[in-house]
Amino acid sequence: MGQQETIDVDEVFRVETHGIDPIPDAERHGSAKDLFWLWFGSNLTFTYVINGALAVAFGLSFWQATAVVVIGGLSFFAISAAGLSGIRTGTATLVISRAAFGVRGNFPAGVLNWVVSIGYTIVNTVVGTLALEVFFAEIGWQSGTAGRAVALLTTLALTFAVAMWGHATVQFAERWMAYVLAAGFGVLLLFVLPGTDTAAPAGAAPGLSGWSLAFVVMLAGPFSYLPMPADYTRYLPRTTSLKSLTWMGALGGFLSSVALGIAGVAAATQTDMTDAVAGAESLLPGWFQPLFLALVLGGSVTNSIITLYSSSLNLQVLGIPWSRARAIVISAAVTALGSLAALFLTDFTTSLLSFLSLLIIVFAPWGGVFLADMLLRRCHYDADALHTGSTGAYWYRSGYHPAGITALLTGMTFAALTCDSELWTGPLVAPLGGADLTLLGAAVSGLTYWALTRRRVAAYAPAA
C-alpha cells in the first residue's frame, strides 16, 4: 500500500509532494502530448496580441510584422527541446543549470529568475483583474474599489489554487482551459482578421531600429521560459524521445503565440492599439465584448499558473527549506502585494514593466550558456551530483564554474552595450542606427562557453 501511495503522488487535485528532488523512474508517467496542451494553453494569453500590435507601432507592415511573429513562434522549438534535460535528470531546470555555472555560480540567476517569474505573474494578475473589473461593470456590478478588490481576489484564487496543487493539476487545468480559450480566441480571429489592412503603414521603412525592437518584443516571451522547461518534463518516462518532446511542446507554443500575435498585427492595422484591450474590444460586436474580457482573464490565469508553479521550485533551488507547496505561499503573497501596488500606483506598473524588460540583459546570455552546455553534454548529466553540493562534480572552483561565469559576463556585457530600453540605452545603440541587439547576447555567451569548454565538458556516461 505504501508503494502505491508513492506512485500515485502526482495526481490531479492532490497536493504534489515532490519538489526539486529527482523523480524516481517508478513515478514517471505521461507522454509528450501532455506538453502540447501545457504550452498551448499557457500561451493563449493576450500578451501576444499586444506584442503583435507593437510590431506595427514600430513601423513594420502587416506582412513584415507577421514574419516577425512567426519567427518568434519558432523559438519554442529550442524551449521545448531544452525539456529533455528534465527527462534525463528528473529535476527542475534551475537545478540542472548548476552544471553550467556551478552550485554557487547558479545562485544569482536563480534569484533574478524568481524576481522575473513574480514580476510577470504580477503583470498577468493585473491584466486579468482589470479585465474582470470591466466585465463586472458590463454585467451590472458596481465599479470602484470594491469591484476591483473582488476581481483581484478572484484572479489570485484561480491562479494560486491550481499552482498550489502541483504538476498534475497544472497540466489538467492548462488542457481544459485551452479548449475554452482556443474556441474563444478563434471567434476573436474571425472578427478581427477580415478587416485587416495589409498595405504598408504610412511613413518610411522601419529601419534596423524598428526591426530589432520588434524581434526583442516577440522573442522576450519565449526566452523568459528558458529557466523552466524541465519543470514540466521531469515526470515523463526516460523513454520519451527528443523528437516527440520537441515537436509536441513547440507546436503548442507556436500555434497559440502566432495566432494571437497575428491577431494583434491585424488589429493594429485597423484601430488605435495604444490601449490594446480597448482597441481590440472596439473591433468586436457588443454581444462578444464581455466574453472577450473573460478571454483576457483566462489567458492571464493560464500564463500565471506555470510561472507561479515554477517560482516555488525556484525557491527550493535557492535553499528555502520548505516543501514546494509551502514555498509557493511566499510567491503568492509577494504576487498579491505587488498586484495591489500595481493596481493603485500607476507609476509602479510602468516601473515594473521597464525593469522586467531590462532583465533580458541577464537572461538572454544565461540562456545561451545553458543551451550551449546542454548541447555539449548531449543532455547527459550526473543527476546525483546536481544535488550533492561541494562533494559533487559540479562544484568546480569553490562552487563556481569559471567558464560558465566568464561566458555569462561576456554575453551580458554585449547585451548591455546594445540594449535600448526605457531604463538603459547602451552606448553602441546610436552607432548601430538605433538597433537593439540585446538578444544576440545569447549567441555571444553561448559561443564563448563553447570556445572555453568544448574540450573539457563531456556528456556524463551513466553506469549500466
Side-chain angles (χ1 to χ4, degrees):
M1 181 63 71
Q3 178 67 17
Q4 182 65 31
E5 290 177 356
T6 300
I7 293 176
D8 291 341
V9 71
D10 188 42
E11 292 181 338
V12 177
F13 304 129
R14 179 176 177 181
V15 177
E16 177 191 8
T17 58
H18 282 298
I20 61 172
D21 53 303
I23 308 300
D25 287 346
E27 297 179 28
R28 303 288 190 96
H29 62 89
S31 68
K33 292 180 181 179
D34 297 331
L35 297 176
F36 172 86
W37 294 109
L38 176 83
W39 292 111
F40 182 69
S42 62
N43 285 284
L44 284 170
T45 172
F46 193 72
T47 302
Y48 289 107
V49 176
I50 298 174
N51 292 347
L54 283 173
V56 175
F58 294 143
L60 275 65
S61 69
F62 172 82
W63 295 112
Q64 290 171 335
T66 297
V68 174
V69 168
V70 171
I71 293 172
L74 290 173
S75 63
F76 278 99
F77 279 88
I79 305 300
S80 187
L84 182 62
S85 58
I87 294 174
R88 295 277 173 81
T89 63
T91 191
T93 303
L94 282 171
V95 175
I96 300 165
S97 60
R98 290 170 175 169
F101 300 101
V103 176
R104 288 177 173 169
N106 191 57
F107 189 85
V111 173
L112 286 175
N113 182 68
W114 184 79
V115 171
V116 170
S117 296
I118 297 303
Y120 278 116
T121 305
I122 291 172
V123 171
N124 279 320
T125 300
V126 169
V127 171
T129 298
L130 294 176
L132 187 56
E133 181 186 13
V134 176
F135 177 80
F136 285 160
E138 292 191 358
I139 63 174
W141 274 51
Q142 292 293 325
S143 58
T145 303
R148 179 168 292 188
V150 172
L152 174 59
L153 287 173
T154 302
T155 306
L156 286 171
L158 290 172
T159 305
F160 174 73
V162 175
M164 184 274 295
W165 285 114
H167 175 266
T169 310
V170 167
Q171 288 196 322
F172 175 83
E174 293 290 354
R175 175 189 289 265
W176 285 99
M177 292 179 74
Y179 295 154
V180 177
L181 291 174
F185 279 119
V187 175
L188 174 73
L189 287 168
L190 292 177
F191 288 127
V192 173
L193 293 181
T196 303
D197 180 5
T198 58
L208 187 57
S209 174
W211 279 101
S212 64
L213 287 172
F215 273 112
V216 168
V217 166
M218 215 63 62
L219 291 169
F223 262 79
S224 70
Y225 291 128
L226 265 177
M228 62 177 72
D231 302 2
Y232 303 100
T233 59
R234 69 194 204 282
Y235 277 95
L236 292 178
R238 292 182 187 273
T239 53
T240 306
S241 71
L242 174 61
K243 181 179 178 180
S244 62
L245 165 82
T246 302
W247 275 97
M248 287 295 100
L251 281 177
F254 177 85
L255 290 175
S256 52
S257 65
V258 169
L260 295 185
I262 292 175
V265 174
T269 67
Q270 304 171 61
T271 188
D272 181 10
M273 291 288 284
T274 304
D275 182 340
V277 173
E281 193 174 19
S282 69
L283 300 175
L284 305 173
W287 66 267
F288 188 72
Q289 290 176 5
L291 296 177
F292 165 70
L293 294 171
L295 290 175
V296 175
L297 168 65
S300 297
V301 170
T302 59
N303 195 259
S304 292
I305 285 171
I306 66 168
T307 53
L308 189 61
Y309 174 79
S310 286
S311 75
S312 63
L313 297 175
N314 196 335
L315 287 173
Q316 288 191 314
V317 174
L318 296 178
I320 300 295
W322 290 359
S323 67
R324 182 208 58 81
R326 291 181 63 193
I328 204 170
V329 175
I330 298 176
S331 295
V334 175
T335 298
L337 291 174
S339 299
L340 284 170
L343 286 166
F344 295 100
L345 298 173
T346 305
D347 290 341
F348 178 86
T349 305
T350 303
S351 300
L352 177 62
L353 287 170
S354 299
F355 174 68
L356 291 174
S357 67
L358 188 63
L359 287 183
I360 193 79
I361 291 176
V362 177
F363 281 101
W366 182 92
V369 175
F370 174 72
L371 291 176
D373 182 76
M374 189 181 73
L375 289 172
L376 285 168
R377 298 181 192 277
R378 299 176 185 174
C379 231
H380 287 288
Y381 300 88
D382 184 341
D384 292 333
L386 290 171
H387 298 271
T388 51
S390 60
T391 61
Y394 304 126
W395 186 250
Y396 301 112
R397 296 183 184 177
S398 302
Y400 299 90
H401 188 197
I405 302 301
T406 300
L408 176 63
L409 292 175
T410 302
M412 287 176 58
T413 300
F414 176 87
L417 292 172
T418 59
C419 176
D420 183 14
S421 70
E422 291 187 16
L423 296 181
W424 168 258
T425 300
L428 295 183
V429 172
L432 290 170
D436 185 336
L437 304 182
T438 314
L439 290 173
L440 289 181
V444 171
S445 63
L447 290 172
T448 302
Y449 186 78
W450 176 82
L452 293 174
T453 63
R454 67 187 187 277
R455 296 179 181 176
R456 300 177 184 177
V457 172
Y460 171 74

